[in-house]
Structures are given as structure tokens and as C-alpha cells.
Amino acid sequence: MTAHPTPELAALQAIGWPLADDGLPSESAWREALVLRPHARPARVVEQHRSGYIVADGPDHSFTVESLPEWQRPANYRKGGIAPEERPAVGDWVLIEGAPPKHAKIVELLPRRTAIKRAAAGEHYKQQLIAANIDTVFVVCGLDADFNPRRIERYLLLVRGGAEPVVVLTKSDIAETESNAAVGVLALAAQDVAVRAVNAKDPASVAALNEWLKPGRTAVLVGSSGAGKSTLTNTLLGIDRMKTAEVRESDSRGRHTTTYRALIPLPSGACLIDTPGMRELKPTGEEDVAENFSDVDALAEQCRFRDCKHQREPGCAVRAAIEAGKLDPQRFANYLKLSDEVAAAANKAANRRAQKTDDKVQGKALNKRLDEKYGRH
């Protein structure tokens, strides 16, 4: 028998708190955390700033909280440091104690159900968390001069990980790239990825996304600047809350109008996270390229040689499909490129783990020598 949630739990449920029939969170790890901290209560991170976090315990109640001391220091991978991806991000659930607005503080970060990450810019391996505890990822791309199937493929590679990807093609009212879009949509459909073309300014058109925006669900918008994410958010809200700007006529590229990530409750009962446009989408090394290019992977299984490089080897099914017009050569080129990037990122991650292990071993050896020379204090 389903228990009726209290007003407090109903407010949390409205911003994505998953309740089981017994009125407790459906995630077992979250139940255990609440038992261990009987005086704490859950809240969701709705904004992340350099100075701290803003959390909410309902669709109409958000407030600033004090974060843990270790989160207030610069993120790093050194011994004793907190890695960037281990800190709360928009969409995370935390346990807080104390009364807002002055005395509320975070005491624990709850384990994530899902997460969207990318590798941060720079030579050293770092991860950047984009959003957490997401049910649906809307990959937004405009049907204008900035339409780019290869960029969509890159986004899909990064967002797989428990959340369902949906490609949203905006600006359907001014579409200039019907043929390119048709080819891209066919390739996506072959991967069982849902695709919806909408006019982001028209509520009736945007209603095509309603099946992913049911009460208690959380969706995130990702895409380049100018794709129409903020316009889409405003239409779903029914008000002009998010700032928008016109794209450049020369190349349809947009300017950054969203400058930080924010979780926004929608009238439908779902939550939406709007994100700034990302110019660089580097894989973390944890991605599965084959999952996003199952058509290419299936062809590769048919090659005569198991170690076929798909260049000039006899009996190459991939090259045969390209020559027969059954596989887009640009899609295959992107498959190779992304495969190389994922492998390189995985190698960097492995080197980082090895360095951390080596540092730990050297630290223990140094402490042992000091103990042998000076004795334990």
C-alpha cells in the first residue's frame, strides 16, 4: 500500500526526491545515510557558485548553505585534496543540518544515481561534473547554419551513463539544413536515440518533450551557445526567466547567455537544469564508444580480420559499407577520432591513478624510515 507523503516529502518529491511506496527514498544508500544522521534532512543543490552552494527543499524554497570545510579549498588531486568531481554539482542531493538562512550547513553528499562529466581543459587529467542525478539529457542543436551531426555524436558519447539521451533539434521553423539533418536523424534513429524537432518559441511544438518531463523527473539541457536552450527553458516555464540573445548571422553561433548551471522546477512537476554552452567537449576515458556507434561496431564484427584497421585490408566490411553508401564516411571518421580521444583520456586517468599509488607507497616508505631512525612519537 502506498503511503501518502507528508507536505515536506511532497515538496522534496516535486524537485526530484525519489520516494518508494513506504515513504522512504528508493535509493538504499540514501536510506542508510538518513538513519546514520537522524538530525539531518535532504536538500538539492540548485545553484553552484565559486562562493558556495544554494540548495532547495521544495520548488519554492531555496537558500544558501555552508559547505564542508574541505570543499572551500581549491580542488586538486594531491594527497588529502578533494577532486573536482567529488564535490557537489547542480542536481546533487545533500544532507543538511541547522535552520536556514544563517545556520544551515551541508554535512554529507549523497551518492549519485547518474552523472554527466567531461574532461576539463588543460594538459593534466581532471574531470568536470556537469550535472548529477539526471533522468533525461536533452542534447539541443539548432537546425540553422550551426547544425553539426558530429557535435551531436560527441555530446551523446559524454552523456551516456544511466540517463536517457534525447536529441532536440530547435529552430524547426527556420530550418536551413533539411538534407544534413535528415542524414543525421537517420543515424541517430539507428542507435535508438529519440529525436524531436521543435520550434523552441512555440509551446505547442515544445509539448513534444512532455513525455520526458513528468512529475519528479529531472532533465538537463546541453548544447552549444545559440542552440536555443534558454529559449526552450523560457517556453517550458511559461515566462521569460532566462536571458536570451540573437545568434551571429555569419555562422549562427551564439553568445553565452547562461553563465552558470541552475536547477529550475517546471509547471509540469519536473525539474530542468540549464547549462552554459560548452565550447570544448573532451571525453573522460570512461565512455563506451561502441555503445554510441553500434552500427560501426556491428560492421567491424563482419570484417575478415579481427584486428582490421579498416584501411586497405581485404574483406573489410566497414570500407565496403562506406563505398556502398550505407555508412556515412564522416560518421566513421568521427568514430575513429573519438575512439582515439577516449583511449588517450583513459591512459591519462590510469597514469594519474598509478601516480597516486606511487605517492602513497613512497609516503609509507618515508614514514617507516623515519620511525626506524627516530622511533615513534
Side-chain angles (χ1 to χ4, degrees):
M1 182 175 178
T2 303
H4 291 289
T6 64
E8 291 80 7
L9 284 176
L12 287 169
Q13 196 173 23
I15 57 172
W17 182 249
L19 282 181
D21 290 344
D22 57 6
L24 294 173
S26 56
E27 298 291 318
S28 59
W30 297 9
R31 294 184 182 218
E32 295 170 7
L34 286 168
V35 170
L36 294 174
R37 295 187 183 273
H39 300 295
R41 62 190 189 281
R44 195 168 198 187
V45 178
V46 295
E47 291 184 26
Q48 178 184 3
H49 303 279
R50 291 183 179 180
S51 57
Y53 299 93
I54 296 177
V55 302
D57 54 13
D60 302 312
H61 187 222
S62 60
F63 48 92
T64 302
V65 290
E66 179 184 338
S67 61
L68 292 173
E70 54 265 35
W71 294 342
Q72 297 171 15
R73 295 192 290 269
N76 62 72
Y77 290 99
R78 293 191 295 271
K79 183 178 179 181
I82 302 295
E85 68 272 18
E86 294 175 4
R87 299 179 177 218
V90 172
D92 265 321
W93 284 94
V94 295
L95 295 183
I96 62 171
E97 293 180 353
K102 294 184 178 180
H103 303 293
K105 62 179 181 180
I106 297 174
V107 294
E108 186 173 341
L109 170 65
L110 293 177
R112 296 172 179 129
R113 296 188 296 112
T114 60
I116 305 171
K117 298 181 288 186
R118 67 171 175 173
E123 295 182 6
H124 300 289
Y125 182 88
K126 294 181 181 179
Q127 290 187 2
Q128 180 185 17
L129 195 67
I130 298 170
N133 299 309
I134 303 302
D135 299 299
T136 304
V137 182
F138 290 130
V139 179
V140 184
C141 185
L143 287 169
D144 52 12
D146 194 38
F147 178 77
N148 188 334
R150 307 288 80 82
R151 189 188 306 131
I152 294 175
E153 290 169 353
R154 182 174 288 268
Y155 269 111
L156 290 174
L157 177 71
L158 296 184
V159 303
R160 298 265 195 177
E164 179 186 3
V166 178
V167 174
V168 181
L169 302 175
T170 60
K171 308 179 184 180
S172 62
D173 54 320
I174 57 169
E176 301 172 359
T177 54
E178 289 87 349
S179 57
N180 287 340
V183 171
V185 168
L186 287 173
L188 293 169
Q191 311 305 307
D192 294 325
V193 176
V195 182
R196 296 292 184 272
V198 303
N199 173 1
K201 297 179 180 180
D202 180 9
S205 178
V206 171
L209 307 180
N210 285 350
E211 62 181 290
W212 294 282
L213 296 172
K214 295 177 180 178
R217 307 284 288 178
T218 300
V220 62
L221 298 172
V222 297
S224 57
S225 298
K229 300 189 300 298
S230 295
T231 301
L232 190 59
T233 300
N234 288 339
T235 302
L236 290 169
L237 279 170
I239 58 173
D240 288 339
R241 168 172 169 169
M242 307 300 286
K243 182 180 178 182
T244 62
E246 296 296 325
V247 298
R248 294 193 300 253
E249 292 185 5
S250 59
D251 57 5
S252 295
R253 299 304 296 271
R255 295 184 295 273
H256 290 289
T257 53
T258 300
T259 56
Y260 61 89
R261 297 171 184 86
L263 185 143
I264 306 164
L266 297 176
S268 69
C271 290
L272 188 69
I273 298 177
D274 190 12
T275 65
M278 291 177 282
R279 292 190 177 93
E280 191 170 15
L281 294 167
K282 296 171 60 178
T284 64
E286 300 172 356
E287 297 80 7
D288 184 355
V289 180
E291 182 183 8
N292 293 272
F293 291 85
S294 58
D295 53 339
V296 179
D297 200 51
L299 287 169
E301 291 290 328
Q302 301 172 28
C303 291
R304 181 185 301 178
F305 302 107
R306 182 169 296 181
D307 60 347
C308 182
K309 302 299 182 183
H310 318 302
Q311 299 296 327
R312 297 181 180 178
E313 297 90 342
C316 176
V318 173
R319 302 304 308 180
I322 292 174
E323 291 167 5
K326 297 179 180 179
L327 176 64
D328 181 358
Q330 292 183 332
R331 176 170 170 79
F332 176 62
N334 203 34
Y335 162 81
L336 295 177
K337 181 179 180 181
L338 292 175
S339 296
D340 289 343
E341 289 185 27
V342 170
N347 187 52
K348 282 187 176 181
N351 289 339
R352 193 197 78 191
R353 289 193 296 269
Q355 183 62 49
K356 287 181 68 175
T357 301
D358 187 52
D359 290 345
K360 187 179 294 185
V361 170
Q362 290 186 16
K364 287 183 178 179
L366 176 61
N367 289 334
K368 183 179 180 180
R369 290 197 298 271
L370 291 174
D371 288 341
E372 291 173 349
K373 184 171 183 179
Y374 301 106
R376 292 184 179 274
H377 294 284

